[in-house]
Amino acid sequence: MVNLFDQTMAVYDEHDRMVYATLVSSGRQLDGWRTPTGIFRIYKKEQIGQMYGGGLADRYLLEDVTANMYFYEGYALHAAYWHDDFGRYKSHGCINMTPTDAKWLYNWSTPVASPLANVTRASADNLGTWVWIYDPDDPTGKP
């Protein structure tokens, strides 16, 4: 579960035991940069990739972003090597984590990723882990 107010992530196993907790940085509280809320599944994992977006005034391109776990459209949980300000709103909507935290989650979560493939997609035989993005200010949980 990612709590957008606290900027924290708590990971629970199938027995509802917390197995990991850390600070994260989610989307800035500006129109167009908010992190979507709701309950999702990781539908794709990418070992290394690019993050890009923005408009004319705030365009960005980040190379070699690791441990990408996509949960809704182009939004992902992923490593952020470009800042160390976790626990504060910082991103363009994704959930930023330290490289160590992102690697742990990437290896722990499903779909189980092949070390031989850069991209692994969830399937009926290899479902993605549930991701709950929660904002106390938006209890409906709608993206």
Side-chain angles (χ1 to χ4, degrees), residues 32-47:
W33 299 127
R34 293 183 189 274
T35 300
T37 59
I39 299 174
F40 311 96
R41 278 191 184 269
I42 295 172
Y43 69 87
K44 178 176 82 171
K45 284 180 163 181
E46 183 180 48
Q47 290 186 43

Side-chain angles (χ1 to χ4, degrees), residues 1 8-12 18-24 101 104:
M1 175 179 86
T8 58
M9 179 180 67
V11 179
Y12 295 87
M18 186 185 304
V19 295
Y20 202 86
T22 191
L23 293 173
V24 298
D101 292 337
W104 182 90

Side-chain angles (χ1 to χ4, degrees), residues 1-8 26 35-40 89 95 131-141:
M1 175 179 86
V2 175
N3 184 316
L4 297 180
F5 179 78
D6 291 337
Q7 294 293 285
T8 58
S26 70
T35 300
T37 59
I39 299 174
F40 311 96
Y89 299 106
I95 304 295
V131 176
W132 180 21
I133 311 290
Y134 175 72
D135 183 348
D137 292 334
D138 179 17
T140 63

Side-chain angles (χ1 to χ4, degrees), residues 15-141:
H15 304 290
D16 291 328
R17 291 181 300 216
M18 186 185 304
V19 295
Y20 202 86
T22 191
L23 293 173
V24 298
S25 290
S26 70
R28 291 180 275 165
Q29 299 298 66
L30 305 168
D31 289 338
W33 299 127
R34 293 183 189 274
T35 300
T37 59
I39 299 174
F40 311 96
R41 278 191 184 269
I42 295 172
Y43 69 87
K44 178 176 82 171
K45 284 180 163 181
E46 183 180 48
Q47 290 186 43
I48 191 165
Q50 292 181 338
M51 294 287 164
Y52 55 89
L56 293 175
D58 58 358
R59 185 167 279 319
Y60 65 94
L61 170 63
L62 298 164
E63 300 279 350
D64 302 327
V65 180
T66 60
N68 302 297
M69 295 157 277
Y70 290 89
F71 61 88
Y72 176 74
E73 296 179 352
Y75 295 92
L77 301 128
H78 61 76
Y81 59 79
W82 51 92
H83 76 83
D84 63 358
D85 199 15
F86 300 98
R88 297 175 187 254
Y89 299 106
K90 195 83 174 170
S91 81
H92 292 92
C94 288
I95 304 295
N96 291 183
M97 295 177 278
T98 69
T100 300
D101 292 337
K103 181 179 179 182
W104 182 90
L105 186 63
Y106 187 91
N107 290 327
W108 180 86
S109 65
T110 57
V112 175
S114 167
L116 304 176
N118 189 49
V119 175
T120 301
R121 295 187 183 279
S123 67
D125 298 347
N126 193 11
L127 292 174
T129 295
W130 290 105
V131 176
W132 180 21
I133 311 290
Y134 175 72
D135 183 348
D137 292 334
D138 179 17
T140 63

